[in-house]
Amino acid sequence: MVVLGMPTTRTGTAPRRRTRRIMVGSVPVGGDAPVSVQSMTTTLTADVNATLQQIAELTAAGCQIVRVAVPSADDAAALPAIAKKSQIPVIADIHFQPKYVFAAIDAGCAAVRVNPGNIKKFDDRVGEIAKAAADAGIPIRIGVNAGSLDQRLLEKYGKANADALVESALWECSLFEEHGFTDLKISVKHHDPLVMIAAYRKLSARCDYPLHLGVTEAGPAFQGTIKSALAFGVLLADGIGDTIRVSLSAPPVEEVKVGIQILESLGLRERSLEIVSCPSCGRAQVDVYTLAEQVTAALDGFKVPLRVAVMGCVVNGPGEAREADLGVASGNGKGQIFVKGKVVKTVPESQIVETLIEEAMRLAEEMEGSDAVEALAGTEES
């Protein structure tokens, strides 16, 4: 058997903070469960077919939990069909109208997210909500957002700072606790990653509820990715966080891809394909940019945990290619192909991508089990 990939031992991160465990449908969150990846649909929830299609795309991308917005009666009416047909647990996202909380519970959703800052007279309905959720055996997420914080806390703190977010979340949790309901998950989101980090650190020191990490309104794909990677990286390296949602002004599948990559980079998820490529410089004697893009595109969807190095010069190239499962060190219009640290052939630049794919296929076929071969077949067809 060929041993692929880098060592899986985690280094440089703190032990996971031990939290209570809840079940969001079939997905455990908290305790010693792996950090899960979530996203949210962008379709009108009332359009059942479009919503289910997007959920299917998210599922294929690796999403484990999906949230759908429920701002209207038509959206609430669509929940039973969506919850029944979705392949992953569905969370109903509720704002303003507490009646939709009960509709989501009755519809069979795996969990309900409530925003106490903008639900009218929410505190007066906690007892009813707690009973309904307990009877149905589903958890509640207390989702506090900087942009919709309770007016009382804004007046107290002057702005939506970390202390205000934490106080809001813990106050709402205490109301549920008064009714004996502790099947809770908390988020305290802010658009500023530094405020968000401070809020989650304070929150994790004061409770043992599982925490949903998120930088809200993070921005377009590039900016949002940077903000989320920064905030999640700091907190997850400290052992804080049980499930994540990367919020991007981009298709939700992109949120899932970024989230998975963050977890893989921190050693919190088994790594799949990893492309190591140099940034190029004046020493490069091949078109590294194009070469890296072509290799990435050719291996898109590749499920085997290969580390592939695409290098453009003779300074770092041979070393990086030798350390990878599969790699190329390029120069003078040709490339040396490395497999498990050894040069197996030298090919012209025009044949580098084709040769790397062939060697990737061969490595995968040497692995035990049929799953890898099936995954590769899908890649080859595309």
Side-chain angles (χ1 to χ4, degrees):
M1 175 180 176
V2 176
V3 179
L4 298 176
M6 298 292 286
T8 57
T9 303
R10 291 177 57 215
T11 59
T13 58
R16 287 282 304 284
R17 164 183 171 269
R18 188 68 180 220
T19 62
R20 307 184 192 194
R21 172 178 285 199
I22 64 172
M23 293 298 298
V24 179
S26 59
V27 179
V29 177
D32 58 357
V35 178
S36 53
V37 176
Q38 304 191 21
S39 186
M40 188 171 182
T41 56
T42 58
T43 57
L44 289 175
T45 304
D47 188 338
V48 174
N49 290 335
T51 301
L52 286 172
Q53 175 61 36
Q54 192 168 78
I55 290 175
E57 293 169 359
L58 288 166
T59 303
C63 185
Q64 295 164 282
I65 300 170
V66 66
R67 185 158 42 107
V68 298
V70 189
S72 73
D74 288 341
D75 298 315
L79 289 176
I82 294 171
K84 181 179 180 180
K85 295 181 180 180
S86 173
Q87 293 180 303
I88 56 177
V90 174
I91 297 178
D93 191 67
I94 310 297
H95 299 265
F96 303 112
Q97 295 287 348
K99 64 183 179 182
Y100 296 144
V101 175
F102 302 103
I105 293 172
D106 292 340
C109 290
V112 177
R113 180 273 174 107
V114 295
N115 186 340
N118 64 19
I119 295 182
K120 296 178 181 179
K121 297 183 178 179
F122 177 79
D123 292 355
D124 297 336
R125 306 295 299 275
V126 168
E128 298 173 67
I129 293 173
K131 184 179 186 308
D135 290 345
I138 70 168
I140 298 288
R141 173 181 150 207
I142 304 295
V144 177
N145 270 12
S148 53
L149 196 64
D150 189 289
Q151 186 61 36
R152 295 168 296 180
L153 291 171
L154 286 176
E155 292 173 358
K156 177 179 178 179
Y157 289 97
K159 60 181 178 179
N161 60 19
D163 290 322
L165 296 173
V166 172
E167 181 172 331
S168 175
L170 293 180
W171 166 254
E172 300 301 337
C173 287
S174 72
L175 297 180
F176 278 96
E177 291 165 355
E178 288 178 1
H179 297 279
F181 188 87
T182 58
D183 205 7
L184 301 168
K185 178 176 60 172
I186 308 176
S187 64
V188 283
K189 296 187 178 183
H190 198 284
H191 68 272
D192 185 329
L194 297 181
V195 176
M196 176 268 200
I197 290 169
Y200 278 98
R201 281 176 166 168
K202 290 173 181 287
L203 185 60
S204 68
R206 296 182 59 183
C207 74
D208 65 351
Y209 288 115
L211 301 182
H212 169 115
L213 301 187
V215 178
T216 190
E217 291 97 36
F222 178 77
Q223 176 180 290
T225 295
I226 297 299
K227 283 186 175 182
S228 298
L230 166 66
F232 293 2
V234 169
L235 290 169
L236 291 169
D238 283 346
I240 298 171
D242 300 286
T243 186
I244 63 173
R245 188 253 172 129
V246 177
S247 298
L248 301 177
S249 298
V253 164
E254 297 305 311
E255 298 183 348
V256 175
K257 291 179 179 178
V258 173
I260 290 174
Q261 187 61 57
I262 290 172
L263 295 182
E264 289 183 1
S265 297
L266 288 167
L268 293 171
R269 174 175 287 220
E270 182 178 350
R271 185 174 53 76
S272 52
L273 176 70
E274 179 185 5
I275 303 292
V276 176
S277 60
C278 62
S280 189
C281 65
R283 297 189 301 266
Q285 297 176 318
V286 297
D287 184 352
V288 179
Y289 298 145
T290 300
L291 191 60
E293 288 177 356
Q294 290 176 341
V295 172
T296 300
L299 294 176
D300 183 43
F302 202 86
K303 301 302 181 184
V304 179
L306 286 178
R307 185 170 187 260
V308 181
V310 181
M311 306 301 294
C313 79
V314 296
V315 176
N316 296 321
E320 290 286 356
R322 188 174 292 111
E323 289 296 316
D325 303 302
L326 175 64
V328 59
S330 307
N332 294 320
K334 57 188 178 182
Q336 282 189 318
I337 305 299
F338 289 76
V339 177
K340 308 305 290 185
K342 296 181 179 179
V343 177
V344 296
K345 61 185 71 173
T346 300
V347 298
E349 181 178 354
S350 61
Q351 297 178 19
I352 288 175
V353 175
E354 175 186 351
T355 305
L356 286 175
I357 301 306
E358 290 175 353
E359 293 299 328
M361 295 285 286
R362 186 183 63 77
L363 280 173
E365 289 172 356
E366 294 179 21
M367 295 180 67
E368 292 182 348
S370 61
D371 290 345
V373 176
E374 291 175 2
L376 286 169
T379 302
E380 187 177 27
E381 291 172 3
S382 63

